[in-house]
Amino acid sequence: MASEIQMPEPVCLIENKKGKGLVVQPEALQLLSEITQPMVVVAIAGPYRSGKSYLLNRLAGQRRGFSLGSSVRAHTKGIWMWCVPHPCKPGHTLVLLDTEGLGDTEKGDTKNDTWIFVLAVLLSSTLIYNSKGTIDQQAMDNLHYVLKLSECVQVKTAPEEAGEEQAGEEQAGEEEAGHEQPGLDRRALFFSTFVWAVRDFTLQLEVDGKEISEDEYLENALKLKDGSSQEAQSYNRLRECIRQLFPERKCFVFDQPAWKKDLPHLEELPDNMLNPEFQQQVERFCSYIWQNCPPKTIPGGRKITGSRLGTLAENYVEAIRSGAVPCLESAVLALAQIENSAALKEAVDLYQRQMEQELPTETTQELLELHTRCEKEAMRLFMARAFKESREQFQEKLTVQLEALKEHFCIQNERASHEKCTAALQELFQDLDRQFKDGVYFMLGAYQLFQRDQQALVEQYRNLSGKGVKADAALQDFLQKREFMARTILKVDHELTEKEEQIKSLKAQYERAEKEREAERKREHESFRDGKPRQRKQREEEENMNDHQSKDQKKSTGGSKKNNPEDEQNSKGGGKSGDDSRYKMLFEFLEKVLDTVLSFLSLWFDYKIRMAFFTNHA
């Protein structure tokens, strides 16, 4: 609950159900759980119809709030709570507890009154006892509930229940508290300061004609009688109990607030109809409560917040309902268990947040050093937040949990490093992958180009900072997954090289054949140019002979039959046999080139299939 927000009206904290006894209300506990500020808890107890609710309303700064009632019956049942911003202590919440009136004859159960009074004492940091008239023996007798505190509340658990370890913690806690007075009842460490408000006071504050203060009036009423007689012991018993259990005491007296006929409507009366003396007394009373009443604490100086107050209320009421005697230290121990569990969780959460902010680390040694720093911060938070009761037990749990988290973060550190490195590699290699898909490396010598480009990217990756402990492993994993790409480029490069060599070989063979034919033609040409008459004459004679044979043949056939084309072709100088050999070699060369081109196309389609597979599975 923020300081500027307040409960619009009181709510029931502990209901007094007929036949069921005292029951803590879940709605009130929920409201308390939202208050994280330290709490100044002021409870008021006293006889019914004595004006308790009016004083609490004024402490809340309101005219209305707690029901005043206008009959002779007790109006408030159980314990009601009103949480408001503290008017004098910023960052604190003022909690007002209005209790069921004591001594209602219609209830017929004095045990119920005792528990109401006990809870008012245990839950508050300041107890206001409200009575009417004077502080006389009758008023003291009406306060006999204080005597019941000794019977109804115990400080320690039984030794066999507490154990030696807890007893050692309690002793250390007492030494740490350092404010226990010799001879003082240890219950006083748990009890509230005591304020006696005497209403409708009609006496003069003087003794033997000398004016005294209100506090002196109370202390005079608490003076012990000398002697050891039974009467003196009976007289002193209650007074000694008050002095022991409430070492800090204060007293206020109030005149009658208004005329008797106006008292039933006191909350509606304007200030000008109230007794001026009463108004001044109320203002002085409220000012003292606001400025001097301390926050609710438990031994060791721990301040009570809303959730802690709710825990104490539940523990005390549960003990009462079970028929056991409420144990103050057991309630504090139960509260400590809850608080230390919360402190443990806060410390673990702090450790996790600080570790996660620094991951990944470059080395395992850096991670261990980070763990040591975060562990110290978490332990410091735990020690500041935890209650000393059962603190060692939860401290051991914290150590075990942090050690387990360290192992977890070692694994997480490696995983985070690997993920970070993989993301960096994917970003660096995205242009190279795009070039692969576009076929940039589908050419002769592309494998060396690919290797050079990839190595350059690897060097860029190695120069990056903040990669973590899995930098090398992530690189190896990444490159291993890309081996398929390298193998594909290498295969294409090799096959293209082989085809290129085949084409070069065929071209060389063709060129050699051309050179041989050119040499042969040159030799023939030179033989004609140099002249060989004998051969030429023989060739002319053969040609003339062939001509005569042809003419004779034409005559014998009557000149009707045409010459054989093959004979005509053969009759031409040079013949056809040389050209046929040349064309045959050319056709063979073209056939081999075509085979090479077809192999190249097959390789291209194979590359495309491999690239599509890589794209879908890389």
Side-chain angles (χ1 to χ4, degrees), residues 193-437:
T193 58
F194 184 79
V195 176
W196 196 323
V198 185
R199 308 291 293 279
D200 300 342
F201 187 73
T202 58
L203 299 179
Q204 294 294 324
L205 287 175
E206 61 180 22
V207 175
D208 298 331
K210 182 180 178 181
E211 186 175 350
I212 61 173
S213 67
E214 295 159 304
D215 292 340
E216 291 173 332
Y217 174 66
L218 174 59
E219 294 307 313
N220 285 336
L222 295 177
K223 281 184 178 179
L224 305 179
K225 281 186 177 182
D226 295 331
S228 58
S229 64
Q230 184 175 358
E231 179 184 356
Q233 291 179 1
S234 177
Y235 180 87
N236 292 339
R237 184 183 175 195
L238 176 58
R239 289 167 172 81
E240 285 179 342
C241 191
I242 294 175
R243 293 163 68 96
Q244 285 290 319
L245 296 180
F246 302 105
E248 297 183 28
R249 300 179 291 274
K250 185 71 178 175
C251 182
F252 288 91
V253 297
F254 300 86
D255 291 347
Q256 187 168 337
W259 294 105
K260 185 177 181 179
K261 63 182 180 63
D262 294 327
L263 293 179
H265 311 287
L266 186 60
E267 62 185 5
E268 301 174 0
L269 289 180
D271 289 345
N272 59 6
M273 294 187 66
L274 292 175
N275 183 347
E277 289 291 330
F278 175 77
Q279 291 189 63
Q280 294 178 7
Q281 292 162 349
V282 169
E283 290 175 1
R284 190 164 54 88
F285 166 79
C286 291
S287 178
Y288 175 84
I289 297 296
W290 290 336
Q291 295 180 14
N292 295 280
C293 290
K296 173 68 175 174
T297 61
I298 59 175
R302 292 287 181 178
K303 293 183 178 181
I304 294 298
T305 59
S307 60
R308 295 173 182 175
L309 183 64
T311 299
L312 290 177
E314 286 185 294
N315 278 276
Y316 291 140
V317 170
E318 180 61 29
I320 293 171
R321 288 176 58 84
S322 66
V325 176
C327 176
L328 302 178
E329 291 184 345
S330 292
V332 172
L333 182 60
L335 177 60
Q337 293 280 338
I338 296 174
E339 292 297 323
N340 289 351
S341 295
L344 173 64
K345 184 178 184 304
E346 288 182 13
V348 170
D349 290 344
L350 175 65
Y351 173 85
Q352 288 182 308
R353 288 196 305 272
Q354 292 185 345
M355 289 289 290
E356 289 170 352
Q357 289 173 0
E358 300 295 331
L359 293 182
T361 61
E362 290 295 328
T363 63
T364 303
Q365 181 61 32
E366 290 182 11
L367 177 66
L368 296 178
E369 293 174 357
L370 174 62
H371 160 75
T372 300
R373 294 196 304 271
C374 295
E375 183 181 37
K376 288 181 179 178
E377 290 296 324
M379 196 63 69
R380 186 178 296 113
L381 172 65
F382 173 79
M383 297 302 290
R385 173 79 164 77
F387 283 24
K388 65 180 180 298
E389 292 81 7
S390 71
R391 184 166 55 194
E392 292 184 1
Q393 171 189 354
F394 282 89
Q395 187 175 355
E396 291 177 0
K397 291 182 179 180
L398 176 60
T399 301
V400 171
Q401 290 192 25
L402 295 185
E403 189 64 26
L405 283 173
K406 182 188 75 172
E407 299 300 326
H408 164 75
F409 277 116
C410 284
I411 299 174
Q412 185 173 332
N413 187 50
E414 294 180 354
R415 183 183 299 114
S417 172
H418 197 282
E419 292 175 354
K420 185 175 182 179
C421 292
T422 301
L425 286 166
Q426 290 175 347
E427 183 177 359
L428 285 173
F429 277 73
Q430 59 184 357
D431 290 339
L432 184 69
D433 292 342
R434 183 166 52 252
Q435 291 175 356
F436 174 77
K437 295 176 184 178

Side-chain angles (χ1 to χ4, degrees), residues 159-215:
E160 60 273 12
E161 297 175 359
E164 296 180 0
E165 180 179 354
Q166 182 179 338
E169 290 181 355
E170 292 167 355
Q171 182 178 357
E174 293 170 9
E175 294 174 356
E176 181 181 341
H179 60 267
E180 183 175 354
Q181 301 174 8
L184 183 68
D185 193 315
R186 288 199 67 247
R187 294 174 181 83
L189 298 176
F190 298 85
F191 290 172
S192 54
T193 58
F194 184 79
V195 176
W196 196 323
V198 185
R199 308 291 293 279
D200 300 342
F201 187 73
T202 58
L203 299 179
Q204 294 294 324
L205 287 175
E206 61 180 22
V207 175
D208 298 331
K210 182 180 178 181
E211 186 175 350
I212 61 173
S213 67
E214 295 159 304
D215 292 340

